[in-house]
Amino acid sequence: MRRQHEQQVKRTLFRQRVLLGLTGAGFAVLAIKLVSIQVYGHDRLVAEAKARHVRSIVKQPVRGPILDRNGRLLAVSTPVDTVWSEADRFCAEEKQWKPMLELLQIERSEVKKACDKRAAGEFENNFMYVKRQVVPLLAEQVKALGIPGLHLQRDYKRFYPPGPAVGHLIGFTDIDGNGQEGIEKAYNETLLGVKGRQILHRDSKGRFVEFVEQVEAVENGQALTLSIDSRLQYLASGYLEQAVRKHKARGGSVVMIYAPTGEILAMVDSPQFNPNDRRTFKPERFRNRAVTDVQEPGSTVKPFTIAAALETGLFTPESTIDTGKVPFRVPGGRISDTKPHGVMSLENIVVKSSNIGAAKISMEIPYDDLYAMLDRVGFGHKVNAVPAEASGVLPKRKRLIDRLTQSYGYGLNATPLQIARAYTVFANRGTLKPLTVLRQEDDVQVPGKRVFSEQTNAQILRMLERVASPEGTARRARIERYRVGGKTGTSRRNTGNGYEQGHYVSWFVGMAPMSDPKFVMAVMVDDPDPEVAGYYGGTIAGPVFARTMSDAMRLYNVAPDKLESEVGKPAPDKIAVNLPQQGGQI
């Protein structure tokens, strides 16, 4: 019995030792595991915990607004929401997608394809867009569905209140808010702002419950105030579009400038596109014709030819030229007028727009004088006020026929903006000032570079005013109660590979009020149908000028200066033109 008892005690002790050994081994394994987790697996586990409960959120900046000179919005970013997901959680819940797909109006196959790409490892991160730029009310309805892994992020969508009237000038942004065309692209860095980033905690259901840290502060984009007057922009756009449709033209452009400061008040093109509707986005419509399309300016060059002649001292406005009764033949070609004019004064050469007269004058003065005059007023040089501008071409000619045709606007080309700038010389008493699309400070004094004398300038102004009289070529450019002046131009359409037979470009460049010119405006209508109403600049482009300039006189409260019906009657010495203050009420 005693031996049995001793054996049983030994067995019990053995079992206890085995059990204690196993227990100790278990604790040792646990200790080793804990050490391994705490020391060797710490970084990995912390990263996994953060991935589940801590997230870095990018805060989008608000793109700066673009304002007109009166503080009216030309472009603004409106709040929307981006619906995004954690792909692993969201894609596993396909059975819950149906109401979301109906709300967002997207196809299941589209979402499924994005999920499959992530499952195949085509993307490193777990972030997946579901739909971008959703209106906030709809986005909240989607969020309320409670689909695991589905989230909202505040975003912004660009909106252009004036619509098509500013499409070519302002341009547009892509879905990420980066400028793609026009002012949006040129001033993208100023408008864009800087993204911010913050760290948030989320609970086991993926909901963000606690702000942790602002890693990078968001900086909203700066506002940009342009010299553009949205009222004139809208009106000029409408009048140009009507003219293009009426005359079945390919397109056209209008540029209006406030000459004393060089501020561009309006710049419009046709055909239009609506920057708010991407369905109208066609690449061939994006270009701003006023700064990209070059054509020969035709007779709009003649006042500069006459100015060059007057500056030599060899001519006066009353000097006469015999333009003959038949075309003027020179080696290499011939020059003709629309009808015989006979003997003409320099003034009447401008008023009646005689090609032969301009050519014969240019033969009497050094060619270098004519070329220098055209160069000084900016032909062949960029204006550097608006992006994507073409420089135009002012070649120095060798053949006599080429030099003569240059005197009346052939053998060189320019954009509507360049031609409008050239005519600001007449409004600024013979000086050329830089142009800008940015609003200038009130009463700013902009220095100019003298091109010709004030005496020559006064003589040219008289001629330009007579062009818009009943005896001139721009009768349809006149406006009631105001003295206006300018020059018509009609040139053959040049494609770069030669002239298109029977196709023309119609021009009118003018200014008002002539008692003290402030507003300069160039109108170009490209390829009007001659069967509708002809193709001459005075007929096609002149009415667009008259309607737009008449509205400008009213909007800026310019006092009438045509108190008599005939040109040259007494009028006020100086006309007050008050451009509105920012946020002004005019």
Side-chain angles (χ1 to χ4, degrees), residues 255-413:
V255 177
M256 180 179 280
I257 300 166
Y258 183 64
T261 60
E263 292 173 284
I264 299 171
L265 298 178
M267 180 181 289
V268 300
D269 292 286
S270 177
Q272 301 173 332
F273 78 93
N274 187 351
N276 296 313
D277 185 359
R278 293 187 177 270
R279 293 173 299 179
T280 68
F281 282 22
K282 298 178 181 178
E284 66 272 16
R285 287 196 172 191
F286 290 164
R287 75 181 190 274
N288 184 351
R289 291 169 177 262
V291 298
T292 63
D293 287 17
V294 294
Q295 286 291 343
E296 290 171 312
S299 295
T300 61
V301 165
K302 287 174 184 171
F304 301 106
T305 300
I306 301 301
L310 294 173
E311 286 288 285
T312 65
L314 301 174
F315 294 88
T316 70
E318 292 75 30
S319 298
T320 58
I321 296 291
D322 186 1
T323 63
K325 297 183 181 298
V326 295
F328 177 45
R329 295 183 179 275
V330 295
R334 67 175 191 171
I335 299 168
S336 60
D337 287 334
T338 55
K339 64 179 181 180
H341 293 296
V343 177
M344 306 180 75
S345 67
L346 263 66
E347 184 167 325
N348 280 331
I349 287 172
V350 175
V351 175
K352 300 296 184 181
S353 199
S354 170
N355 294 341
I356 296 175
K360 285 190 172 182
I361 290 171
S362 69
M363 291 181 69
E364 300 296 324
I365 64 175
Y367 173 68
D368 286 347
D369 286 4
L370 173 61
Y371 184 89
M373 174 65 68
L374 298 177
D375 180 72
R376 287 199 301 271
V377 298
F379 288 105
H381 301 284
K382 288 186 178 181
V383 176
N384 293 319
V386 180
E389 182 189 359
S391 63
V393 177
L394 178 63
K396 202 160 189 177
R397 298 299 188 179
K398 295 182 178 180
R399 294 198 311 161
L400 176 61
I401 183 63
D402 295 331
R403 292 183 171 188
L404 298 185
T405 57
Q406 211 169 50
S407 71
Y408 56 87
Y410 283 90
L412 70 158
N413 59 42

Side-chain angles (χ1 to χ4, degrees), residues 41-98:
H42 177 269
D43 293 340
R44 177 179 59 81
L45 293 172
V46 167
E48 289 182 5
K50 286 185 176 180
R52 289 187 174 91
H53 299 289
V54 178
R55 186 166 186 89
S56 173
I57 299 295
V58 174
K59 300 292 290 183
Q60 296 292 340
V62 183
R63 188 175 178 87
I66 301 176
L67 310 172
D68 85 341
R69 64 180 308 105
N70 304 313
R72 296 181 176 92
L73 287 169
L74 300 177
V76 64
S77 293
T78 56
V80 290
D81 284 314
T82 288
V83 181
W84 65 278
S85 70
E86 300 168 80
D88 55 355
R89 300 178 64 206
F90 170 76
C91 294
E93 302 293 338
E94 184 177 352
K95 60 182 180 298
Q96 298 189 42
W97 288 359
K98 184 177 180 180

